[in-house]
Amino acid sequence: MPPEHRPERRASGPIRSAAFRFALLLAGVFAIGAAALLIVVEEQIGRYATEATNGGLQAEMSVLQGEYAQLGQSGLTDAMARHAGVRPEAPYRYLLLDVAGRRLFGDLPATAMTEGWSTVNVIEPEPGQQGMRRESMTTLGARLPDGLRLVVASDNYDVQMLRHRLGRFTLLSGIGITLFALLGGYLTGRLFVRRLDRVNGAVDRIVEGDRAERLPMIGLGPEFDELARNLNRMLDRNAAAMEALRQVSNDIAHDLRTPLSRLHQRLEQMQDSPEIEPAMIDDALEQTSGILATFQALLRIGALEGGVGRRRFTQVDLSELMDRVHQAYAPVAEDAEHIYLADHAPGVVVDGDGELLAQLFTNLVENAIVHTPAGTTITSRLFVENGGIVAEVSDTGQGIPVSERANVFRRFYRLDASRHTEGSGLGLALVAAIAALHDAACTIPGNASGLTVRIAFPPGPS
């Protein structure tokens, strides 16, 4: 492709790659999922801590009410003093007021005196530091006999700190997951882009005309390597088709030049002749028919190599088909002073196109009749061997040299000994194309004398 018409390939980078964008998407999903999980955990822990605090307050209130019922006010204050002195940081705080509202015990502010559940904020000194802190406390108040009012409180500092740490952990985790995903996406995108650049470089070389170039394995997973292998198979198939097209063009130019030249000369003679004889017209028409038959055979071979005939595949009784070919050509072989024998196993069925298969065996028999001397024995066989179906057409003629056997299935190829006989050199090429359409191997096995063409079909239906 000329440089001025070559499309410019955009420079790609890891950040613009699909792998990086996919990593961003995963980072967002993971961050949202982690945040949702930590929010649920924080909510459950907070609920558990609240229930534990409320349960402790209810238990403490029940104990103190029991002390008051048994020992009176002095027993109640002794119990509160004893409970407050168990640990340096007492789990509970108290407030006991008499009927007149005077403080009898405890250090809670008077605003904490509320019956039932409530929350109060108090200012407390920061432990081990100078300064004060605002602390929220949950309170449970109750009225005792004789008009006394009791409040038991527990601070929420630990629960608040836990929730604060969980929130900070959620934020830091989200940031960490995002950064890790970005880094992983960048590295993955960089690797992905480097591998794809190799593939794009190979594609550019193929577009520029290097038909031997093939795509390298991407190496990012078996599915990508399978894609590269399939694309290489497609390139191989296209290269083979282009080579076949080039070969056909050369063959047409070489092999049809002679009959076209003869036809042109015949027409010039007719033009210069004062009287056109019917024989001259018949000869020109015969040459034209031969040329048209050659082109028709070429078109048929091309269609077969393109797989067109597979649409008409059915179950074909190959035994009956080969019997019909034998019956049709036995008189023809006899007129040519040949002996035509048949040995066909009964009931052999293949999956294929009956018309094309009949054409295949007809071509083989006609080839043996035309290109062998009188007295030649032609034998048609059909048998099952090692689970596969094998059909053979052999003759006892002069055969084909081993060095020439690889070429006889090419278009227009003819042995020197056959140049004087009629034909275009497309009969065996058509046989090979029909066999390939049916996934059958078309070969010429080694034999002492004569020629044998073997068609090995895949196993038939059970």
Side-chain angles (χ1 to χ4, degrees):
M1 181 180 295
E4 61 271 13
H5 295 111
R6 186 181 306 160
E8 181 179 357
R9 185 154 55 93
R10 291 184 178 181
S12 57
I15 296 180
R16 298 178 59 185
S17 66
F20 185 75
R21 293 195 296 270
F22 185 66
L24 282 180
L25 176 62
L26 290 182
V29 173
F30 288 154
I32 294 174
L37 176 62
L38 291 174
I39 289 173
V40 172
V41 171
E42 187 270 342
E43 180 67 23
Q44 294 297 322
I45 291 177
R47 182 179 302 175
Y48 173 78
T50 300
E51 292 176 354
T53 298
N54 294 344
L57 289 175
Q58 288 177 331
E60 182 70 9
M61 178 64 74
S62 298
V63 170
L64 295 179
Q65 287 176 338
E67 292 286 343
Y68 180 75
Q70 293 181 5
L71 303 176
Q73 180 179 335
S74 60
L76 174 60
T77 54
D78 289 342
M80 289 189 291
R82 187 170 61 253
H83 293 177
V86 172
R87 291 184 299 176
E89 295 184 2
Y92 301 110
R93 305 277 289 278
Y94 306 100
L95 177 61
L96 180 64
L97 301 179
D98 61 10
V99 177
R102 293 189 297 271
R103 183 186 300 270
L104 300 177
F105 187 87
D107 56 356
L108 290 174
T111 55
M113 179 50 67
T114 302
E115 293 186 22
W117 297 101
S118 183
T119 301
V120 63
N121 293 321
V122 298
I123 305 299
E124 297 286 342
E126 190 73 25
Q129 301 179 10
Q130 295 182 355
M132 307 297 287
R133 71 181 183 189
R134 186 181 183 88
E135 185 175 339
S136 173
M137 305 190 77
T138 299
T139 64
L140 176 60
R143 184 177 296 275
L144 302 176
D146 301 330
L148 298 180
R149 290 177 293 173
L150 174 64
V151 175
V152 181
S154 177
D155 67 79
N156 300 323
Y157 179 75
D158 292 339
V159 175
Q160 291 174 349
M161 286 300 298
L162 177 61
R163 288 187 169 182
H164 174 71
R165 290 174 180 174
L166 283 174
R168 185 170 60 181
F169 178 75
T170 301
L171 178 61
L172 295 178
S173 297
I175 295 175
I177 290 174
T178 302
L179 293 178
F180 182 77
L182 291 176
L183 177 61
Y186 176 81
L187 295 177
T188 304
R190 184 176 180 182
L191 175 63
F192 194 77
V193 167
R194 287 177 59 186
R195 299 292 178 86
L196 286 186
D197 281 343
R198 292 170 51 202
V199 175
N200 288 327
V203 171
D204 288 341
R205 290 188 289 273
I206 293 171
V207 172
E208 290 171 1
D210 186 359
R211 291 187 174 84
E213 180 69 35
R214 291 296 179 266
L215 302 181
M217 294 296 104
I218 301 176
L220 295 176
E223 62 277 7
F224 291 101
D225 290 341
E226 182 66 19
L227 173 62
R229 281 191 291 269
N230 288 335
L231 291 175
N232 286 334
R233 287 174 54 202
M234 180 186 68
L235 291 172
D236 292 338
R237 193 79 175 266
N238 289 340
M242 293 296 294
E243 177 62 23
L245 180 61
R246 186 191 66 82
Q247 184 65 39
V248 168
S249 301
N250 293 338
D251 292 340
I252 290 176
H254 181 270
D255 286 78
L256 292 184
R257 180 173 54 192
T258 299
L260 286 174
S261 297
R262 288 201 303 264
L263 177 61
H264 182 74
Q265 293 173 0
R266 177 61 65 183
L267 292 176
E268 286 182 339
Q269 293 174 3
M270 294 170 63
Q271 185 181 29
D272 296 336
S273 176
E275 294 183 3
I276 300 177
E277 299 178 0
M280 300 174 64
I281 298 176
D282 293 341
D283 183 57
L285 289 174
E286 183 179 353
Q287 294 183 37
T288 305
S289 299
I291 294 173
L292 291 175
T294 299
F295 276 106
Q296 185 177 4
L298 286 172
L299 292 175
R300 191 171 184 84
I301 292 174
L304 292 174
E305 290 178 345
V308 175
R310 290 185 181 275
R311 294 194 296 264
R312 301 189 304 176
F313 273 23
T314 58
Q315 297 297 302
V316 178
D317 188 338
L318 199 58
S319 302
E320 188 270 338
L321 184 147
M322 294 184 69
D323 286 340
R324 282 192 285 109
V325 172
H326 175 258
Q327 293 172 4
Y329 277 87
V332 179
E334 184 177 355
D335 292 342
E337 300 181 3
H338 291 74
I339 302 172
Y340 185 12
L341 305 177
D343 181 14
H344 303 151
V348 177
V349 178
V350 296
D351 186 25
D353 186 321
E355 181 181 344
L356 293 177
L357 290 174
Q359 179 73 57
L360 182 151
F361 293 108
T362 296
N363 282 17
L364 290 178
V365 173
E366 287 182 348
N367 184 76
I369 293 175
V370 172
H371 297 291
T372 57
T376 300
T377 299
I378 303 170
T379 305
S380 172
R381 297 184 182 90
L382 177 64
F383 55 93
V384 177
E385 182 179 69
N386 297 327
I389 300 171
V390 178
E392 291 181 348
V393 176
S394 60
D395 61 64
T396 58
Q398 64 272 25
I400 297 177
V402 176
S403 59
E404 301 287 343
R405 291 179 180 176
N407 300 320
V408 295
F409 295 110
R410 287 172 43 193
R411 297 178 181 91
F412 298 113
Y413 186 83
R414 305 184 72 189
L415 295 173
D416 292 337
S418 300
R419 292 290 179 180
H420 64 280
T421 60
E422 297 182 358
S424 59
L426 294 174
L428 291 182
L430 184 58
V431 167
I434 296 174
L437 182 69
H438 291 78
D439 296 326
C442 183
T443 59
I444 299 178
N447 55 335
S449 63
L451 172 66
T452 299
V453 178
R454 170 177 288 198
I455 311 296
F457 291 89
S462 56

